[in-house]
Short mmCIF file of all heavy atoms in Angstrom, two decimals:
data_model
loop_
_atom_site.label_atom_id
_atom_site.label_comp_id
_atom_site.label_asym_id
_atom_site.label_seq_id
_atom_site.Cartn_x
_atom_site.Cartn_y
_atom_site.Cartn_z
N MET A 445 3.48 -4.70 -16.98
CA MET A 445 2.97 -5.36 -15.82
C MET A 445 2.01 -4.51 -15.04
O MET A 445 1.02 -4.95 -14.53
CB MET A 445 4.25 -5.80 -14.81
CG MET A 445 3.92 -6.66 -13.82
SD MET A 445 5.41 -7.23 -13.21
CE MET A 445 4.81 -7.81 -11.56
N TYR A 446 2.33 -3.18 -14.98
CA TYR A 446 1.41 -2.27 -14.22
C TYR A 446 -0.01 -2.30 -14.90
O TYR A 446 -0.83 -2.27 -14.35
CB TYR A 446 1.94 -0.93 -14.25
CG TYR A 446 1.12 0.02 -13.57
CD1 TYR A 446 0.89 0.15 -12.22
CD2 TYR A 446 0.43 1.07 -14.32
CE1 TYR A 446 0.10 1.04 -11.54
CE2 TYR A 446 -0.44 1.94 -13.83
CZ TYR A 446 -0.52 2.00 -12.47
OH TYR A 446 -1.39 2.92 -11.84
N LYS A 447 0.10 -2.25 -16.26
CA LYS A 447 -1.14 -2.19 -16.99
C LYS A 447 -2.07 -3.53 -16.72
O LYS A 447 -3.20 -3.50 -16.55
CB LYS A 447 -0.84 -2.17 -18.45
CG LYS A 447 -2.16 -1.96 -19.35
CD LYS A 447 -1.82 -1.81 -20.75
CE LYS A 447 -3.03 -1.65 -21.57
NZ LYS A 447 -2.71 -1.49 -22.95
N ALA A 448 -1.33 -4.66 -16.55
CA ALA A 448 -2.06 -5.79 -16.30
C ALA A 448 -2.71 -5.78 -14.93
O ALA A 448 -3.88 -6.21 -14.77
CB ALA A 448 -1.09 -7.15 -16.33
N PHE A 449 -2.10 -5.23 -13.85
CA PHE A 449 -2.72 -5.10 -12.62
C PHE A 449 -4.00 -4.18 -12.62
O PHE A 449 -4.99 -4.39 -12.14
CB PHE A 449 -1.72 -4.54 -11.60
CG PHE A 449 -0.74 -5.60 -11.21
CD1 PHE A 449 0.56 -5.18 -10.70
CD2 PHE A 449 -0.99 -6.91 -11.16
CE1 PHE A 449 1.53 -6.07 -10.39
CE2 PHE A 449 -0.05 -7.85 -10.88
CZ PHE A 449 1.26 -7.47 -10.35
N TRP A 450 -3.71 -3.01 -13.39
CA TRP A 450 -4.78 -2.07 -13.50
C TRP A 450 -6.00 -2.68 -14.25
O TRP A 450 -7.10 -2.48 -13.87
CB TRP A 450 -4.34 -0.81 -14.20
CG TRP A 450 -5.39 0.21 -14.33
CD1 TRP A 450 -6.09 0.54 -15.43
CD2 TRP A 450 -5.87 1.02 -13.28
NE1 TRP A 450 -6.97 1.55 -15.12
CE2 TRP A 450 -6.78 1.93 -13.83
CE3 TRP A 450 -5.56 1.19 -12.05
CZ2 TRP A 450 -7.49 2.76 -13.07
CZ3 TRP A 450 -6.18 2.15 -11.26
CH2 TRP A 450 -7.22 2.96 -11.86
N GLN A 451 -5.64 -3.39 -15.33
CA GLN A 451 -6.77 -3.97 -16.10
C GLN A 451 -7.55 -5.06 -15.28
O GLN A 451 -8.76 -5.14 -15.52
CB GLN A 451 -6.01 -4.73 -17.25
CG GLN A 451 -6.97 -5.42 -18.21
CD GLN A 451 -6.26 -6.09 -19.33
OE1 GLN A 451 -5.10 -6.21 -19.37
NE2 GLN A 451 -6.98 -6.81 -20.23
N HIS A 452 -6.95 -5.70 -14.35
CA HIS A 452 -7.60 -6.65 -13.67
C HIS A 452 -8.23 -6.16 -12.23
O HIS A 452 -8.62 -6.99 -11.47
CB HIS A 452 -6.70 -7.97 -13.36
CG HIS A 452 -6.35 -8.70 -14.55
ND1 HIS A 452 -7.23 -9.52 -15.16
CD2 HIS A 452 -5.23 -8.65 -15.31
CE1 HIS A 452 -6.65 -10.03 -16.23
NE2 HIS A 452 -5.45 -9.51 -16.37
N ASP A 453 -8.02 -4.90 -12.00
CA ASP A 453 -8.58 -4.21 -10.86
C ASP A 453 -8.13 -4.80 -9.56
O ASP A 453 -8.93 -5.30 -8.69
CB ASP A 453 -10.19 -4.19 -10.90
CG ASP A 453 -10.79 -3.41 -9.85
OD1 ASP A 453 -10.19 -2.34 -9.41
OD2 ASP A 453 -11.85 -3.74 -9.37
N LEU A 454 -6.84 -4.91 -9.37
CA LEU A 454 -6.26 -5.55 -8.19
C LEU A 454 -5.96 -4.47 -7.18
O LEU A 454 -5.23 -3.49 -7.59
CB LEU A 454 -4.93 -6.29 -8.48
CG LEU A 454 -5.12 -7.41 -9.57
CD1 LEU A 454 -3.78 -7.93 -9.89
CD2 LEU A 454 -6.09 -8.46 -9.11
N ILE A 455 -6.51 -4.45 -6.08
CA ILE A 455 -6.49 -3.39 -5.06
C ILE A 455 -5.50 -3.82 -3.83
O ILE A 455 -4.56 -3.05 -3.47
CB ILE A 455 -7.81 -3.01 -4.48
CG1 ILE A 455 -8.72 -2.62 -5.63
CG2 ILE A 455 -7.73 -1.98 -3.35
CD1 ILE A 455 -8.37 -1.29 -6.26
N THR A 456 -5.77 -4.94 -3.24
CA THR A 456 -5.08 -5.32 -2.01
C THR A 456 -3.82 -6.15 -2.44
O THR A 456 -3.67 -6.68 -3.52
CB THR A 456 -5.94 -6.17 -1.03
OG1 THR A 456 -6.38 -7.34 -1.73
CG2 THR A 456 -7.18 -5.35 -0.72
N TYR A 457 -2.94 -6.23 -1.39
CA TYR A 457 -1.68 -6.99 -1.70
C TYR A 457 -2.03 -8.50 -1.80
O TYR A 457 -1.47 -9.07 -2.75
CB TYR A 457 -0.65 -6.84 -0.49
CG TYR A 457 0.61 -7.76 -0.60
CD1 TYR A 457 1.50 -7.42 -1.49
CD2 TYR A 457 0.70 -8.87 0.23
CE1 TYR A 457 2.62 -8.10 -1.51
CE2 TYR A 457 1.81 -9.55 0.07
CZ TYR A 457 2.82 -9.16 -0.80
OH TYR A 457 4.01 -10.04 -0.92
N ARG A 458 -2.98 -9.02 -1.17
CA ARG A 458 -3.51 -10.39 -1.31
C ARG A 458 -3.89 -10.65 -2.76
O ARG A 458 -3.69 -11.71 -3.21
CB ARG A 458 -4.50 -10.75 -0.24
CG ARG A 458 -4.99 -12.22 -0.31
CD ARG A 458 -5.93 -12.38 0.80
NE ARG A 458 -5.23 -12.27 2.14
CZ ARG A 458 -5.87 -11.85 3.29
NH1 ARG A 458 -7.07 -11.64 3.26
NH2 ARG A 458 -5.15 -11.67 4.31
N GLU A 459 -4.65 -9.71 -3.41
CA GLU A 459 -5.11 -9.88 -4.63
C GLU A 459 -3.93 -9.88 -5.69
O GLU A 459 -3.91 -10.71 -6.64
CB GLU A 459 -6.14 -8.76 -5.12
CG GLU A 459 -7.41 -8.84 -4.39
CD GLU A 459 -8.38 -7.69 -4.52
OE1 GLU A 459 -7.93 -6.78 -5.27
OE2 GLU A 459 -9.50 -7.63 -3.97
N VAL A 460 -2.98 -8.95 -5.52
CA VAL A 460 -1.89 -8.99 -6.33
C VAL A 460 -1.02 -10.23 -6.24
O VAL A 460 -0.69 -10.78 -7.29
CB VAL A 460 -1.00 -7.71 -6.05
CG1 VAL A 460 0.31 -7.58 -6.82
CG2 VAL A 460 -1.83 -6.43 -6.25
N LEU A 461 -0.88 -10.79 -5.04
CA LEU A 461 -0.13 -11.92 -4.81
C LEU A 461 -0.75 -13.08 -5.53
O LEU A 461 -0.10 -13.96 -6.12
CB LEU A 461 0.06 -12.14 -3.34
CG LEU A 461 1.11 -13.08 -2.88
CD1 LEU A 461 2.52 -12.69 -3.39
CD2 LEU A 461 1.23 -13.17 -1.41
N ALA A 462 -2.06 -13.14 -5.29
CA ALA A 462 -2.84 -14.35 -6.06
C ALA A 462 -2.67 -14.28 -7.48
O ALA A 462 -2.50 -15.27 -8.21
CB ALA A 462 -4.21 -14.29 -5.58
N PHE A 463 -2.79 -13.06 -8.05
CA PHE A 463 -2.72 -12.85 -9.43
C PHE A 463 -1.35 -13.21 -9.99
O PHE A 463 -1.17 -13.88 -11.07
CB PHE A 463 -3.03 -11.34 -9.89
CG PHE A 463 -2.84 -11.18 -11.32
CD1 PHE A 463 -3.74 -11.48 -12.24
CD2 PHE A 463 -1.65 -10.49 -11.81
CE1 PHE A 463 -3.62 -11.28 -13.60
CE2 PHE A 463 -1.51 -10.14 -13.19
CZ PHE A 463 -2.52 -10.58 -14.01
N SER A 464 -0.30 -12.83 -9.20
CA SER A 464 1.05 -13.07 -9.73
C SER A 464 1.46 -14.61 -9.62
O SER A 464 2.22 -15.05 -10.35
CB SER A 464 2.15 -12.24 -8.96
OG SER A 464 2.10 -12.77 -7.58
N ARG A 465 0.72 -15.33 -8.64
CA ARG A 465 0.99 -16.77 -8.56
C ARG A 465 0.10 -17.54 -9.58
O ARG A 465 0.19 -18.73 -9.62
CB ARG A 465 0.55 -17.27 -7.10
CG ARG A 465 1.53 -16.74 -6.13
CD ARG A 465 1.17 -17.24 -4.83
NE ARG A 465 2.10 -16.81 -3.74
CZ ARG A 465 1.89 -16.90 -2.45
NH1 ARG A 465 0.75 -17.39 -2.07
NH2 ARG A 465 2.81 -16.52 -1.62
N GLY A 466 -0.76 -16.90 -10.16
CA GLY A 466 -1.69 -17.55 -11.28
C GLY A 466 -2.93 -18.12 -10.54
O GLY A 466 -3.65 -18.93 -11.14
N GLU A 467 -3.24 -17.80 -9.37
CA GLU A 467 -4.39 -18.31 -8.58
C GLU A 467 -5.57 -17.43 -8.88
O GLU A 467 -5.46 -16.33 -9.42
CB GLU A 467 -4.00 -18.31 -7.12
CG GLU A 467 -2.83 -19.07 -6.58
CD GLU A 467 -2.53 -18.92 -5.19
OE1 GLU A 467 -3.12 -18.05 -4.52
OE2 GLU A 467 -1.49 -19.63 -4.81
N GLN A 468 -6.73 -17.95 -8.47
CA GLN A 468 -8.02 -17.17 -8.59
C GLN A 468 -7.99 -16.05 -7.62
O GLN A 468 -7.74 -16.15 -6.44
CB GLN A 468 -9.20 -18.13 -8.35
CG GLN A 468 -10.56 -17.49 -8.41
CD GLN A 468 -10.80 -17.10 -9.98
OE1 GLN A 468 -10.40 -17.74 -10.76
NE2 GLN A 468 -11.63 -16.05 -10.15
N VAL A 469 -8.33 -14.79 -8.07
CA VAL A 469 -8.31 -13.69 -7.32
C VAL A 469 -9.68 -13.51 -6.68
O VAL A 469 -10.72 -13.56 -7.33
CB VAL A 469 -8.00 -12.37 -8.13
CG1 VAL A 469 -8.05 -11.13 -7.30
CG2 VAL A 469 -6.63 -12.50 -8.83
N GLU A 470 -9.73 -13.49 -5.27
CA GLU A 470 -10.97 -13.25 -4.59
C GLU A 470 -11.10 -11.82 -4.29
O GLU A 470 -10.41 -11.22 -3.36
CB GLU A 470 -10.96 -14.09 -3.23
CG GLU A 470 -12.26 -13.98 -2.58
CD GLU A 470 -12.21 -14.84 -1.29
OE1 GLU A 470 -11.34 -15.66 -1.13
OE2 GLU A 470 -13.18 -14.64 -0.49
N ARG A 471 -12.05 -11.10 -4.98
CA ARG A 471 -12.31 -9.73 -4.75
C ARG A 471 -13.36 -9.39 -3.63
O ARG A 471 -13.59 -8.24 -3.35
CB ARG A 471 -12.68 -9.04 -6.07
CG ARG A 471 -11.51 -8.98 -7.01
CD ARG A 471 -11.98 -8.42 -8.30
NE ARG A 471 -10.84 -8.28 -9.19
CZ ARG A 471 -10.40 -9.22 -10.05
NH1 ARG A 471 -10.96 -10.39 -10.03
NH2 ARG A 471 -9.43 -9.05 -10.83
N ASP A 472 -14.06 -10.48 -3.33
CA ASP A 472 -15.25 -10.12 -2.36
C ASP A 472 -14.80 -10.35 -0.92
O ASP A 472 -15.37 -11.15 -0.17
CB ASP A 472 -16.35 -11.08 -2.72
CG ASP A 472 -17.60 -10.58 -2.14
OD1 ASP A 472 -17.88 -9.54 -1.77
OD2 ASP A 472 -18.49 -11.56 -1.76
N THR A 473 -13.73 -9.66 -0.50
CA THR A 473 -13.31 -9.67 0.93
C THR A 473 -13.68 -8.32 1.52
O THR A 473 -13.85 -7.32 0.79
CB THR A 473 -11.75 -9.91 1.01
OG1 THR A 473 -11.16 -8.81 0.41
CG2 THR A 473 -11.39 -11.25 0.35
N LEU A 474 -13.67 -8.26 2.87
CA LEU A 474 -14.11 -7.07 3.54
C LEU A 474 -13.09 -5.96 3.27
O LEU A 474 -13.42 -4.89 2.93
CB LEU A 474 -14.11 -7.27 5.01
CG LEU A 474 -14.39 -6.12 5.96
CD1 LEU A 474 -15.76 -5.74 5.57
CD2 LEU A 474 -14.34 -6.47 7.38
N GLU A 475 -11.67 -6.27 3.26
CA GLU A 475 -10.71 -5.22 3.01
C GLU A 475 -10.80 -4.82 1.53
O GLU A 475 -10.72 -3.55 1.27
CB GLU A 475 -9.28 -5.87 3.14
CG GLU A 475 -8.18 -5.02 3.03
CD GLU A 475 -6.83 -5.66 3.18
OE1 GLU A 475 -6.87 -6.88 3.33
OE2 GLU A 475 -5.83 -5.00 3.16
N GLY A 476 -11.08 -5.68 0.57
CA GLY A 476 -11.17 -5.25 -0.81
C GLY A 476 -12.37 -4.37 -1.09
O GLY A 476 -12.26 -3.44 -1.82
N ARG A 477 -13.48 -4.67 -0.46
CA ARG A 477 -14.73 -3.82 -0.66
C ARG A 477 -14.43 -2.52 0.01
O ARG A 477 -14.82 -1.49 -0.58
CB ARG A 477 -15.87 -4.44 -0.01
CG ARG A 477 -16.51 -5.62 -0.79
CD ARG A 477 -17.82 -6.02 -0.32
NE ARG A 477 -17.80 -6.38 1.15
CZ ARG A 477 -17.80 -7.65 1.69
NH1 ARG A 477 -17.77 -8.65 0.85
NH2 ARG A 477 -17.64 -7.84 3.01
N ARG A 478 -13.82 -2.48 1.05
CA ARG A 478 -13.59 -1.19 1.88
C ARG A 478 -12.61 -0.38 0.98
O ARG A 478 -12.80 0.92 0.83
CB ARG A 478 -12.94 -1.44 3.18
CG ARG A 478 -12.69 -0.28 4.03
CD ARG A 478 -12.18 -0.53 5.40
NE ARG A 478 -12.88 -1.79 6.03
CZ ARG A 478 -12.14 -2.62 6.83
NH1 ARG A 478 -10.89 -2.45 7.03
NH2 ARG A 478 -12.89 -3.62 7.37
N GLU A 479 -11.51 -0.90 0.33
CA GLU A 479 -10.69 -0.05 -0.41
C GLU A 479 -11.33 0.38 -1.71
O GLU A 479 -11.15 1.55 -2.13
CB GLU A 479 -9.47 -1.03 -0.75
CG GLU A 479 -8.41 -1.25 0.39
CD GLU A 479 -7.78 -0.01 0.74
OE1 GLU A 479 -7.52 0.90 -0.08
OE2 GLU A 479 -7.53 0.26 1.91
N ARG A 480 -12.21 -0.44 -2.32
CA ARG A 480 -12.80 -0.02 -3.57
C ARG A 480 -13.91 1.12 -3.28
O ARG A 480 -14.14 1.88 -4.20
CB ARG A 480 -13.50 -1.32 -4.19
CG ARG A 480 -12.47 -2.14 -4.85
CD ARG A 480 -13.08 -3.31 -5.51
NE ARG A 480 -12.21 -4.20 -6.15
CZ ARG A 480 -11.37 -5.03 -5.58
NH1 ARG A 480 -11.47 -5.19 -4.32
NH2 ARG A 480 -10.60 -5.78 -6.26
N GLU A 481 -14.50 1.08 -2.20
CA GLU A 481 -15.59 1.98 -1.82
C GLU A 481 -15.03 3.36 -1.23
O GLU A 481 -15.71 4.35 -1.25
CB GLU A 481 -16.50 1.51 -0.84
CG GLU A 481 -17.37 0.32 -1.36
CD GLU A 481 -18.21 -0.37 -0.33
OE1 GLU A 481 -18.12 0.02 0.82
OE2 GLU A 481 -18.98 -1.23 -0.58
N MET A 482 -13.62 3.38 -0.99
CA MET A 482 -13.13 4.52 -0.33
C MET A 482 -12.92 5.75 -1.36
O MET A 482 -12.65 5.52 -2.58
CB MET A 482 -11.81 4.20 0.30
CG MET A 482 -11.15 5.35 1.09
SD MET A 482 -9.58 4.86 1.72
CE MET A 482 -9.87 3.30 2.63
N ASN A 483 -13.24 6.95 -1.01
CA ASN A 483 -13.09 8.08 -1.89
C ASN A 483 -11.61 8.23 -2.22
O ASN A 483 -10.71 8.05 -1.38
CB ASN A 483 -13.61 9.38 -1.28
CG ASN A 483 -15.06 9.43 -1.12
OD1 ASN A 483 -15.89 8.74 -1.95
ND2 ASN A 483 -15.64 9.97 -0.16
N PRO A 484 -11.36 8.72 -3.48
CA PRO A 484 -9.99 8.94 -3.91
C PRO A 484 -9.21 9.90 -3.05
O PRO A 484 -7.95 9.79 -2.84
CB PRO A 484 -10.04 9.46 -5.36
CG PRO A 484 -11.31 8.92 -5.84
CD PRO A 484 -12.24 8.89 -4.70
N TRP A 485 -9.84 10.97 -2.65
CA TRP A 485 -9.16 11.95 -1.80
C TRP A 485 -8.78 11.51 -0.40
O TRP A 485 -7.68 11.79 0.17
CB TRP A 485 -9.97 13.24 -1.59
CG TRP A 485 -11.22 13.15 -0.76
CD1 TRP A 485 -12.47 12.71 -1.20
CD2 TRP A 485 -11.26 13.23 0.67
NE1 TRP A 485 -13.34 12.72 -0.16
CE2 TRP A 485 -12.72 13.01 1.03
CE3 TRP A 485 -10.31 13.55 1.68
CZ2 TRP A 485 -13.04 12.99 2.34
CZ3 TRP A 485 -10.91 13.54 3.00
CH2 TRP A 485 -12.24 13.33 3.29
N VAL A 486 -9.54 10.48 0.16
CA VAL A 486 -9.17 9.83 1.38
C VAL A 486 -7.88 8.97 1.12
O VAL A 486 -7.04 8.96 2.05
CB VAL A 486 -10.37 8.91 1.90
CG1 VAL A 486 -9.99 8.10 3.19
CG2 VAL A 486 -11.56 9.76 2.19
N LYS A 487 -7.88 8.21 0.05
CA LYS A 487 -6.62 7.37 -0.27
C LYS A 487 -5.50 8.34 -0.29
O LYS A 487 -4.37 7.99 0.11
CB LYS A 487 -6.84 6.69 -1.49
CG LYS A 487 -7.80 5.52 -1.37
CD LYS A 487 -7.86 4.75 -2.79
CE LYS A 487 -8.98 3.66 -2.81
NZ LYS A 487 -9.10 3.00 -4.00
N GLY A 488 -5.62 9.42 -1.10
CA GLY A 488 -4.45 10.37 -1.21
C GLY A 488 -3.99 10.93 0.11
O GLY A 488 -2.82 11.14 0.37
N THR A 489 -5.01 11.37 0.89
CA THR A 489 -4.60 11.99 2.28
C THR A 489 -3.99 10.93 3.10
O THR A 489 -2.95 11.14 3.81
CB THR A 489 -5.85 12.48 2.95
OG1 THR A 489 -6.53 13.37 1.97
CG2 THR A 489 -5.53 13.07 4.21
N ARG A 490 -4.38 9.65 3.08
CA ARG A 490 -3.79 8.54 3.89
C ARG A 490 -2.42 8.33 3.28
O ARG A 490 -1.53 8.15 4.27
CB ARG A 490 -4.63 7.35 3.74
CG ARG A 490 -4.18 6.17 4.61
CD ARG A 490 -5.02 4.96 4.51
NE ARG A 490 -5.02 4.45 3.18
CZ ARG A 490 -5.60 3.56 2.69
NH1 ARG A 490 -6.48 2.79 3.46
NH2 ARG A 490 -5.67 3.11 1.43
N ASN A 491 -2.15 8.30 2.06
CA ASN A 491 -0.76 8.04 1.51
C ASN A 491 0.14 9.22 1.93
O ASN A 491 1.24 9.01 2.34
CB ASN A 491 -0.91 7.93 0.11
CG ASN A 491 -1.42 6.55 -0.30
OD1 ASN A 491 -1.52 5.59 0.52
ND2 ASN A 491 -1.92 6.42 -1.56
N ALA A 492 -0.34 10.51 1.87
CA ALA A 492 0.44 11.67 2.14
C ALA A 492 0.81 11.61 3.62
O ALA A 492 2.02 11.90 3.94
CB ALA A 492 -0.33 12.86 1.87
N VAL A 493 -0.09 11.22 4.56
CA VAL A 493 0.30 11.15 5.93
C VAL A 493 1.26 10.10 6.20
O VAL A 493 2.22 10.32 6.95
CB VAL A 493 -1.02 10.96 6.81
CG1 VAL A 493 -0.69 10.61 8.14
CG2 VAL A 493 -1.93 12.20 6.77
N GLN A 494 1.13 8.96 5.55
CA GLN A 494 2.15 7.85 5.69
C GLN A 494 3.46 8.26 5.25
O GLN A 494 4.48 7.98 5.81
CB GLN A 494 1.68 6.62 4.97
CG GLN A 494 0.51 5.95 5.67
CD GLN A 494 -0.05 4.69 4.81
OE1 GLN A 494 0.31 4.59 3.62
NE2 GLN A 494 -0.85 3.94 5.44
N ILE A 495 3.62 9.05 4.10
CA ILE A 495 4.83 9.47 3.60
C ILE A 495 5.51 10.49 4.49
O ILE A 495 6.72 10.43 4.78
CB ILE A 495 4.69 10.10 2.25
CG1 ILE A 495 4.32 9.13 1.17
CG2 ILE A 495 5.83 10.93 1.85
CD1 ILE A 495 3.92 9.64 -0.16
N ILE A 496 4.74 11.43 5.08
CA ILE A 496 5.27 12.35 6.00
C ILE A 496 5.72 11.76 7.36
O ILE A 496 6.80 12.06 7.78
CB ILE A 496 4.10 13.37 6.36
CG1 ILE A 496 3.92 14.29 5.11
CG2 ILE A 496 4.57 14.32 7.57
CD1 ILE A 496 2.70 15.18 5.23
N ILE A 497 4.96 10.80 7.92
CA ILE A 497 5.42 10.09 9.09
C ILE A 497 6.73 9.29 8.76
O ILE A 497 7.67 9.27 9.55
CB ILE A 497 4.26 9.09 9.60
CG1 ILE A 497 3.21 9.98 10.15
CG2 ILE A 497 4.81 8.08 10.59
CD1 ILE A 497 1.94 9.23 10.44
N GLY A 498 6.70 8.60 7.54
CA GLY A 498 7.99 7.96 7.27
C GLY A 498 9.21 8.86 7.11
O GLY A 498 10.29 8.40 7.56
N ALA A 499 9.01 10.09 6.54
CA ALA A 499 10.11 10.94 6.34
C ALA A 499 10.53 11.46 7.67
O ALA A 499 11.76 11.58 7.95
CB ALA A 499 9.71 12.11 5.56
N ILE A 500 9.65 11.71 8.56
CA ILE A 500 9.98 12.18 10.00
C ILE A 500 10.78 11.05 10.68
O ILE A 500 11.86 11.29 11.23
CB ILE A 500 8.79 12.56 10.84
CG1 ILE A 500 8.19 13.83 10.15
CG2 ILE A 500 9.04 12.73 12.31
CD1 ILE A 500 6.85 14.28 10.78
N ALA A 501 10.32 9.76 10.57
CA ALA A 501 10.98 8.59 11.26
C ALA A 501 12.44 8.56 10.70
O ALA A 501 13.38 8.25 11.40
CB ALA A 501 10.20 7.40 11.11
N GLY A 502 12.45 8.52 9.33
CA GLY A 502 13.75 8.48 8.73
C GLY A 502 14.79 9.55 9.08
O GLY A 502 16.00 9.25 9.30
N GLY A 503 14.23 10.78 9.23
CA GLY A 503 15.09 11.96 9.68
C GLY A 503 15.58 11.76 11.10
O GLY A 503 16.76 11.99 11.42
N LEU A 504 14.63 11.23 11.88
CA LEU A 504 15.06 11.05 13.40
C LEU A 504 16.12 9.98 13.54
O LEU A 504 17.11 10.07 14.24
CB LEU A 504 13.82 10.71 14.18
CG LEU A 504 12.90 11.81 14.50
CD1 LEU A 504 11.60 11.38 15.19
CD2 LEU A 504 13.57 12.94 15.15
N VAL A 505 15.97 8.93 12.78
CA VAL A 505 16.96 7.82 12.74
C VAL A 505 18.29 8.36 12.22
O VAL A 505 19.36 8.02 12.74
CB VAL A 505 16.51 6.61 11.90
CG1 VAL A 505 17.65 5.66 11.64
CG2 VAL A 505 15.38 5.89 12.48
N GLY A 506 18.21 9.12 11.11
CA GLY A 506 19.45 9.64 10.57
C GLY A 506 20.21 10.60 11.47
O GLY A 506 21.43 10.56 11.71
N VAL A 507 19.40 11.44 12.18
CA VAL A 507 20.03 12.30 13.23
C VAL A 507 20.61 11.58 14.45
O VAL A 507 21.73 11.87 14.91
CB VAL A 507 18.93 13.39 13.68
CG1 VAL A 507 19.44 14.10 14.97
CG2 VAL A 507 18.56 14.46 12.74
N GLY A 508 19.82 10.50 14.75
CA GLY A 508 20.34 9.64 15.91
C GLY A 508 21.69 9.00 15.57
O GLY A 508 22.63 8.92 16.38
N ILE A 509 21.75 8.47 14.42
CA ILE A 509 22.92 7.85 13.93
C ILE A 509 24.09 8.79 13.75
O ILE A 509 25.28 8.62 14.20
CB ILE A 509 22.77 7.02 12.58
CG1 ILE A 509 21.96 5.81 12.79
CG2 ILE A 509 24.07 6.64 11.86
CD1 ILE A 509 21.43 5.18 11.49
N GLY A 510 23.83 9.99 13.28
CA GLY A 510 24.80 11.03 13.12
C GLY A 510 25.39 11.54 14.57
O GLY A 510 26.54 11.62 14.77
N MET A 511 24.43 11.57 15.52
CA MET A 511 24.95 11.97 16.93
C MET A 511 25.66 10.86 17.58
O MET A 511 26.62 11.05 18.29
CB MET A 511 23.61 12.33 17.77
CG MET A 511 23.00 13.53 17.48
SD MET A 511 21.35 13.78 18.26
CE MET A 511 22.00 13.94 19.96
N LEU A 512 25.40 9.63 17.24
CA LEU A 512 26.05 8.42 17.81
C LEU A 512 27.47 8.50 17.14
O LEU A 512 28.43 8.23 17.93
CB LEU A 512 25.30 7.14 17.55
CG LEU A 512 25.99 5.94 18.03
CD1 LEU A 512 26.04 5.97 19.60
CD2 LEU A 512 25.08 4.75 17.56
N ALA A 513 27.63 8.65 15.88
CA ALA A 513 28.89 8.59 15.23
C ALA A 513 29.70 9.67 15.72
O ALA A 513 31.06 9.55 15.95
CB ALA A 513 28.70 8.81 13.74
N LYS A 514 29.20 10.89 15.97
CA LYS A 514 29.89 12.07 16.40
C LYS A 514 30.41 11.74 17.89
O LYS A 514 31.50 12.07 18.21
CB LYS A 514 29.17 13.33 16.49
CG LYS A 514 29.85 14.59 16.87
CD LYS A 514 28.98 15.85 16.67
CE LYS A 514 29.75 17.05 16.96
NZ LYS A 514 28.88 18.29 16.88
N MET A 515 29.61 11.14 18.67
CA MET A 515 29.96 10.81 20.11
C MET A 515 31.00 9.75 20.20
O MET A 515 31.92 9.84 21.02
CB MET A 515 28.74 10.41 20.75
CG MET A 515 28.88 10.11 22.42
SD MET A 515 27.38 9.67 23.26
CE MET A 515 26.86 8.17 22.44
N LEU A 516 31.01 8.81 19.25
CA LEU A 516 32.04 7.73 19.29
C LEU A 516 33.34 8.10 18.60
O LEU A 516 34.25 7.51 18.77
CB LEU A 516 31.39 6.50 18.52
CG LEU A 516 30.32 5.83 19.28
CD1 LEU A 516 29.81 4.69 18.32
CD2 LEU A 516 30.74 5.28 20.67
N SER A 517 33.29 9.30 17.87
CA SER A 517 34.54 9.66 17.19
C SER A 517 35.50 10.53 18.15
O SER A 517 35.16 10.98 19.11
CB SER A 517 34.32 10.42 15.86
OG SER A 517 33.60 11.56 16.24
#
């Protein structure tokens, strides 16, 4: 399945969704063009920052739940 997406050059979620439904994929959208023209290092940096922010948020939620559990016990 991954190979099929790569073979059809699907970038955005809207394109993947249209492909999985069997609909015509519209690649000439502003978001699709922007993603295709972006340098690979920019994509990697953006993904790394999103992962770090998600890890920090998850850690804070975990600590908060732990403190709440300790306070209630």
Side-chain angles (χ1 to χ4, degrees):
M445 190 166 163
Y446 177 76
K447 185 176 180 182
F449 288 151
W450 181 257
Q451 178 183 2
H452 293 285
D453 188 34
L454 302 173
I455 300 293
T456 63
Y457 178 72
R458 186 174 293 153
E459 292 174 0
V460 172
L461 194 59
F463 176 77
S464 66
R465 291 180 178 168
E467 301 170 356
Q468 183 67 28
V469 177
E470 184 179 349
R471 290 180 176 84
D472 193 30
T473 61
L474 179 62
E475 184 183 7
R477 283 192 306 259
R478 189 178 310 144
E479 287 291 325
R480 284 181 180 81
E481 293 172 358
M482 193 179 301
N483 288 331
W485 68 270
V486 174
K487 289 181 185 180
T489 303
R490 183 178 64 183
N491 289 339
V493 168
Q494 288 175 346
I495 290 169
I496 291 169
I497 290 172
I500 290 170
L504 291 175
V505 168
V507 168
I509 290 173
M511 290 173 64
L512 180 64
K514 185 176 182 180
M515 186 174 62
L516 293 175
S517 63

